[in-house]
Amino acid sequence: MRLWISITILTLAMCLSLIMFMLLPPKSLTLAAGARGGAYALMAERYRDVLARDGIEVVILYTDGSQDNATLLSEGGIDAAFLQAGVFVAPGHAEAIGGVFYEAMIFLARSDHDIPSNPALWRDLRISSGRPGSGTAAAFRDFQEAVGLSQNANEHLELGFAQSVFALEAGGIDLAFLVSSIEAPYLAQAFSSDGLTLLQLSYADAISRHLDYADLVSIPTGAVSLEPVQPQTSQTMLALKAQLAINPQLHPALVNRLTMAAKELHSGRDILTERGVFPSPQGIGMPINNVARQLIQEGPTTWHNLLPYWAAAQVNRMLLLTLPILLLLVPLLRVVPMMYAYFRGWQVWKHYGRIREIETQIGAHTSAHELATLSEELELVDRRISRLKLPLPYRQTAYHARMHIDLVRKHIAHLEAQTS
């Protein structure tokens, strides 16, 4: 019995040790951002600082933007990335933590411009519409399609964000199209310049109906800058949700930490959003990770205050792993004593067949020689039973067997007395 209990405890300890080993997360993750100094890169640095508190190293990979990040996710070369809404990732290669902040579709023009507010009327303009392969370029192509503007109606220049602002100030272009956080550093120069202004689009609501991944946001007068006042009037703008996407194979504990970091960094109020809007699992356009969805919608459980983050992040998963083991072990713990008791009883019961045979061979016509032989066999069975080293709770079975043997022995002695 002690052996079986020891084996059961050892097996359970090994299973729990294996599960705990499986729960241990990697100590680092790779996060694809954007160009150095851009909004994605600055946000990635903030994530790095938050996750460092849990001893997780965030390796920031600087890229050309969302399209580049989507390719890296599809190839499985990174753990997480920021993606612009509308950027396609091959199915099965990415899940979303959720939308984390708005990126406004910003149209910058010179203050003395005569550009129509209806984008369908734009003709012969020099427009900086993003570098090839960038999320900005992809968004502008979709925007043109949404407003019915031909690709050849205007001249397109492939400039970066900062270059676009410089070119616009210098008069090299007529319009700069940017998809960016409204608080991006490279926009500070544009908003502080008297020569540049935000172009207010007409029919923004109608355009958003044709650009299904775009939302409408409102910016109050002076929200961007009060000196000079930018925007000069309250504006309704198109905005895209920046997404934090992950490799579907990312360890659940790291998903937990990224989601908690997103809640810490993005749940506040800013120029474009009210408090509590982000992170958001709605309107993302890709599957939402279940761990992230639960944390966003329900918040952390009490386990987060009691256990290390890597364990708290996977309590449910651990229960799913251990439950089948427990379902097997609990019946086993009940069956093992029964099997042990049966084995101990069988050590005695196996002799009952011979005792019964001896008993049936004894009769009034049994000769003295046969009685002596049967008596010797009976003594041999008695000695075998007496030599069994049975635990105290199981000795009663042997005691009853030997009582039976004693009754048969007395019967033999009675017949021997009659034949002598």
Side-chain angles (χ1 to χ4, degrees):
M1 186 64 178
R2 293 177 181 175
L3 177 62
W4 278 105
I5 292 175
S6 299
I7 292 174
T8 302
I9 293 174
L10 180 60
T11 302
L12 184 60
M14 291 177 63
C15 290
L16 290 176
S17 298
L18 178 61
I19 292 171
M20 294 298 286
F21 176 78
M22 293 171 61
L23 294 180
L24 289 174
K27 293 295 186 181
S28 66
L29 64 87
T30 303
L31 175 59
R36 291 181 182 272
Y40 285 177
L42 295 177
M43 189 58 67
E45 292 170 4
R46 294 176 66 185
Y47 273 83
R48 180 183 60 193
D49 295 341
V50 172
L51 268 66
R53 299 201 296 257
D54 288 312
I56 302 171
E57 179 187 6
V58 176
V59 179
I60 300 175
L61 183 63
Y62 298 99
T63 68
D64 290 331
S66 291
Q67 291 285 11
D68 199 5
N69 294 353
T71 300
L72 290 170
L73 276 174
S74 297
E75 295 173 349
I78 55 175
D79 298 309
F82 290 111
L83 294 180
Q84 178 183 295
V87 174
F88 176 78
V89 181
H93 290 80
E95 293 179 340
I97 295 291
V100 289
F101 58 88
Y102 273 129
E103 296 182 284
M105 298 180 73
I106 300 170
F107 297 86
L108 281 175
R110 294 182 61 82
S111 300
D112 56 357
H113 73 84
D114 57 356
I115 301 173
S117 60
N118 181 352
L121 303 179
W122 293 349
R123 297 290 186 276
D124 301 321
L125 299 178
R126 295 165 298 171
I127 303 175
S128 171
S129 55
R131 290 175 174 169
S134 68
T136 300
F140 193 79
R141 284 196 302 270
D142 292 345
F143 173 80
Q144 286 188 123
E145 183 177 346
V147 302
L149 187 62
S150 170
Q151 175 70 21
N152 299 323
N154 300 281
E155 180 185 356
H156 297 274
L157 289 86
E158 302 169 356
L159 303 177
F161 288 175
Q163 291 174 310
S164 297
V165 174
F166 288 132
L168 188 62
E169 287 185 312
I173 59 175
D174 301 305
L175 186 66
F177 173 72
L178 314 173
V179 178
S180 173
S181 166
I182 203 75
E183 299 170 338
Y186 45 77
L187 290 177
Q189 178 183 350
F191 293 145
S192 63
S193 172
D194 292 330
L196 302 182
T197 188
L198 288 169
L199 177 64
Q200 172 72 67
L201 296 184
S202 299
Y203 316 112
D205 192 3
I207 296 171
S208 70
R209 305 298 178 90
H210 294 280
L211 197 60
D212 60 1
Y213 57 81
D215 295 333
L216 291 177
V217 295
S218 297
I219 303 183
T221 302
V224 173
S225 170
L226 293 176
E227 181 56 42
V229 175
Q230 287 281 9
Q232 297 178 358
T233 60
S234 178
Q235 290 195 15
T236 298
M237 301 179 68
L238 296 166
L240 311 180
K241 286 178 180 174
Q243 307 168 60
L244 179 57
I246 59 171
N247 186 316
Q249 304 303 317
L250 185 62
H251 196 283
L254 296 182
V255 176
N256 176 285
R257 290 297 88 186
L258 280 172
T259 307
M260 294 302 294
K263 288 173 68 70
E264 177 179 338
L265 294 173
H266 305 296
S267 61
R269 189 181 188 187
D270 60 27
I271 294 175
L272 299 181
T273 55
E274 294 294 334
R275 195 178 309 277
V277 173
F278 293 113
S280 170
Q282 283 82 36
I284 303 304
M286 71 170 61
I288 301 294
N289 179 272
N290 289 330
V291 173
R293 183 195 300 275
Q294 183 177 3
L295 276 173
I296 291 172
Q297 294 179 339
E298 303 176 12
T301 65
T302 54
W303 296 112
H304 287 77
N305 298 324
L306 302 174
L307 300 173
Y309 80 88
W310 53 267
Q314 301 188 95
V315 168
N316 291 338
R317 185 181 182 215
M318 184 167 59
L319 290 176
L320 289 175
L321 289 172
T322 56
L323 189 58
I325 297 174
L326 293 175
L327 290 175
L328 292 174
L329 284 179
V330 170
L332 185 62
L333 291 175
R334 297 179 59 186
V335 170
V336 168
M338 295 171 60
M339 294 177 60
Y340 181 79
Y342 178 84
F343 170 74
R344 288 303 189 181
W346 175 79
Q347 289 182 288
V348 177
W349 298 333
K350 67 180 181 179
H351 298 288
Y352 264 92
R354 186 56 188 151
I355 296 173
R356 182 60 179 166
E357 289 176 3
I358 293 172
E359 188 175 18
T360 57
Q361 293 176 29
I362 299 172
H365 303 290
T366 306
S367 66
H369 176 71
E370 291 174 333
L371 288 174
T373 301
L374 293 175
S375 179
E376 290 177 0
E377 292 185 16
L378 194 64
E379 290 297 328
L380 179 62
V381 173
D382 189 26
R383 284 197 297 271
R384 287 175 179 172
I385 295 176
S386 66
R387 291 171 182 170
L388 293 175
K389 297 180 179 179
L390 298 174
L392 185 61
Y394 303 99
R395 291 178 186 174
Q396 186 176 6
T397 305
Y399 177 72
H400 288 161
R402 298 189 71 188
M403 286 181 62
H404 192 175
I405 290 172
D406 192 53
L407 290 175
V408 178
R409 184 186 291 117
K410 289 180 179 180
H411 190 191
I412 293 174
H414 176 70
L415 291 177
E416 286 178 336
Q418 290 181 344
T419 57
S420 61

